[in-house]
Amino acid sequence: MERAVLRKLTSLCIISGLVCLILLGITAIRDGKREWKDYQQEYRRLLLGKISRDINPVLYERVSGMKPEIKQIVVNEFGAVDRCPTCHLGIEDTLFTTAKQPHTTHPDPELLAKHPVEKFGCTICHGGQGAATTYDGASHQTIAHWPDPMVEKRFMQSRCGYCHKDYEAIGADDLALGQKLFEDLYCAGCHKVDAGDGSMAPELSAFADKDTGHFDFTHIDGDRSRQNWALEHFLSPSRVTPGSVMRSYAMNGHQVEALTTYVLSLTERVFVRSYYPKEDLVVAKKDIIIQEREKDFSP
Ligand code: HEC
Ligand code: HEC
Ligand code: HEC
Ligand code: HEC
């Protein structure tokens, strides 16, 4: 009797052990197939094609021996871990200007030099999910309601406005145009931005921080993202928000994009001082807002 139980237990142990082994094997195979490893292999092959074994044998050997590894930038100030360079390995390497993505050199190396990758990472300008190691996970394309999909190219300057206030000085012309439209079209008549005086409509000071879950996408045709909601809402506020008192303005496509870029730059995120340009008066926006409010109460 006892022996029978023992035998049963033994076979149970063997079976579960085998199942574990099989699962481990599957994981190992899947691990080996991770897309980032393929990109790294491709990168190594491309790099080996660019360096000469005869001229620089040491480098050649080193590159040949490259093992796949996750490349990440930890930016404690933003609480960000950006693994984008795991696939975008050539981003700072001028040998890769004509390579295909994800290996291409950054299109604006000067901009990158002014914002060193090890200090700024990538997502502070691009958005996306920094910790991801897959193309989809990094959110290159919008996934419906995803909190922080990558910033579309046409709205890239919105991020410059997180830190820079002198848009013209940095050549952020879309942002400058968006701000000018905001003034010319008297948007502040209804909307508060920082210490503005409108009150008929939602405050926009933290529009860029607004959770995607709080937008109504019922009447949105395109991507279910904050950026697209803002764009489509400008084209027709009363279509996106039935009954809205906000009207649509006569703007051309570029102007609508510029205005969208501008509202997407409105954040209340505050960085440590060293992340604000020195020449900008605005050191930390919150301080300024507090100072403004104190002024309001002083005689
Ligand atoms: C798993 C590998 C992988 C990771 C991780 C990754 N990318 Fe990419 N990325 C790619 C590939 C592949 C392309 C080219 C896609 C194409 O051309 O169809 C690309 C293209 C891009 C582009 C060009 C625009 C586009 O969508 O085609 C940008 C910008 C970009 N990546 C930024 C980032 C940022 C920022 C991160 C980190 C948040 C990141 N990538 C992480 C693989 C990756
Ligand atoms: C200071 C802000 C900033 C930082 C930091 C930054 N980028 Fe960019 N990036 C830009 C801007 C602006 C563009 C668009 C340039 C243009 O118009 O061609 C761009 C373009 C790109 C493109 C090409 C997009 C396309 O559609 O062809 C890729 C890929 C890219 N960046 C990847 C990265 C990665 C990876 C990092 C981090 C290692 C990074 N960037 C860091 C601002 C930044
Ligand atoms: C996280 C904050 C941050 C973001 C986002 C950011 N910058 Fe900067 N930028 C800085 C800091 C800090 C400096 C250094 C300036 C200094 O040392 O005074 C700088 C410097 C620059 C400079 C050089 C200015 C000079 O006087 O040398 C340019 C141009 C510039 N940024 C353009 C941009 C553009 C364009 C974008 C958007 C694509 C952008 N920046 C996004 C913080 C930021
Ligand atoms: C007559 C008052 C009025 C004017 C002027 C006005 N808006 Fe609005 N706006 C509203 C109201 C009310 C809403 C909320 C209903 C809706 O979603 O349309 C709104 C919503 C918005 C939203 C979405 C805010 C959120 O958190 O959901 C943005 C962004 C916006 N307006 C920007 C602008 C800009 C930019 C202008 C100038 C071109 C402007 N508005 C002019 C009344 C106004």
Side-chain angles (χ1 to χ4, degrees), residues 34-37 39 42 81-88 91 100-104 106-107 121-141 150-151 153 156:
R34 285 217 190 117
E35 51 181 296
W36 64 267
K37 289 193 179 166
Y39 289 128
E42 193 179 35
V81 177
D82 287 355
R83 295 183 173 149
C84 320
T86 300
C87 297
H88 292 273
I91 201 81
K100 65 176 168 65
Q101 291 293 15
H103 310 297
T104 331
H106 201 274
C122 313
T123 49
I124 191 61
C125 288
H126 282 279
Q129 310 300 312
T133 52
T134 60
Y135 179 83
D136 289 340
S139 191
H140 291 77
Q141 317 280 322
M150 239 173 256
V151 181
K153 205 168 177 176
M156 272 308 289

Side-chain angles (χ1 to χ4, degrees), residues 30-99:
R30 281 183 53 176
D31 196 50
K33 278 201 180 142
R34 285 217 190 117
E35 51 181 296
W36 64 267
K37 289 193 179 166
D38 294 343
Y39 289 128
Q40 292 202 350
Q41 248 167 30
E42 193 179 35
Y43 171 81
R44 195 182 55 169
R45 196 171 45 71
L46 289 172
L47 186 56
L48 285 176
K50 290 174 194 291
I51 52 182
S52 153
R53 185 176 230 154
D54 302 331
I55 297 175
N56 201 338
V58 182
L59 180 65
Y60 195 92
E61 281 313 310
R62 216 181 58 215
V63 175
S64 310
M66 262 170 58
K67 293 268 176 299
E69 60 171 349
I70 304 256
K71 301 263 182 204
Q72 64 181 21
I73 309 152
V74 181
V75 188
N76 288 325
E77 282 78 2
F78 307 151
V81 177
D82 287 355
R83 295 183 173 149
C84 320
T86 300
C87 297
H88 292 273
L89 276 173
I91 201 81
E92 289 188 280
D93 189 341
T94 46
L95 284 176
F96 283 82
T97 40
T98 55

Side-chain angles (χ1 to χ4, degrees), residues 69-257:
E69 60 171 349
I70 304 256
K71 301 263 182 204
Q72 64 181 21
I73 309 152
V74 181
V75 188
N76 288 325
E77 282 78 2
F78 307 151
V81 177
D82 287 355
R83 295 183 173 149
C84 320
T86 300
C87 297
H88 292 273
L89 276 173
I91 201 81
E92 289 188 280
D93 189 341
T94 46
L95 284 176
F96 283 82
T97 40
T98 55
K100 65 176 168 65
Q101 291 293 15
H103 310 297
T104 331
T105 317
H106 201 274
D108 196 340
E110 250 176 64
L111 184 72
L112 222 50
K114 282 165 185 151
H115 307 86
V117 169
E118 59 287 1
K119 177 176 169 186
F120 288 85
C122 313
T123 49
I124 191 61
C125 288
H126 282 279
Q129 310 300 312
T133 52
T134 60
Y135 179 83
D136 289 340
S139 191
H140 291 77
Q141 317 280 322
T142 303
I143 302 164
H145 301 296
W146 205 248
D148 196 12
M150 239 173 256
V151 181
E152 281 179 47
K153 205 168 177 176
R154 54 191 173 151
F155 307 133
M156 272 308 289
Q157 290 180 8
S158 58
R159 295 300 182 114
C160 319
Y162 276 27
C163 307
H164 292 275
K165 289 295 148 244
D166 191 343
Y167 307 146
E168 262 132 31
I170 58 161
D173 39 359
D174 293 346
L175 204 46
L177 174 62
Q179 188 183 39
K180 188 173 180 304
L181 285 165
F182 197 88
E183 284 159 14
D184 292 352
L185 300 172
Y186 301 110
C187 309
C190 291
H191 290 283
K192 264 188 191 168
V193 175
D194 291 346
D197 29 77
S199 61
M200 284 179 59
E203 178 170 344
L204 296 181
S205 321
F207 183 72
D209 312 331
K210 186 172 166 178
D211 197 290
T212 6
H214 293 150
F215 289 98
D216 182 356
F217 287 103
T218 319
H219 305 284
I220 293 291
D221 297 331
D223 277 357
R224 300 190 157 217
S225 66
R226 192 188 297 112
Q227 5 184 9
N228 188 53
W229 189 96
L231 184 90
E232 288 195 21
H233 180 259
F234 283 143
L235 293 174
S236 174
S238 60
R239 179 177 67 81
V240 170
T241 311
S244 178
V245 297
M246 181 169 153
R247 61 183 180 90
S248 53
Y249 293 80
M251 289 187 276
N252 64 32
H254 181 221
Q255 286 171 322
V256 176
E257 283 176 10

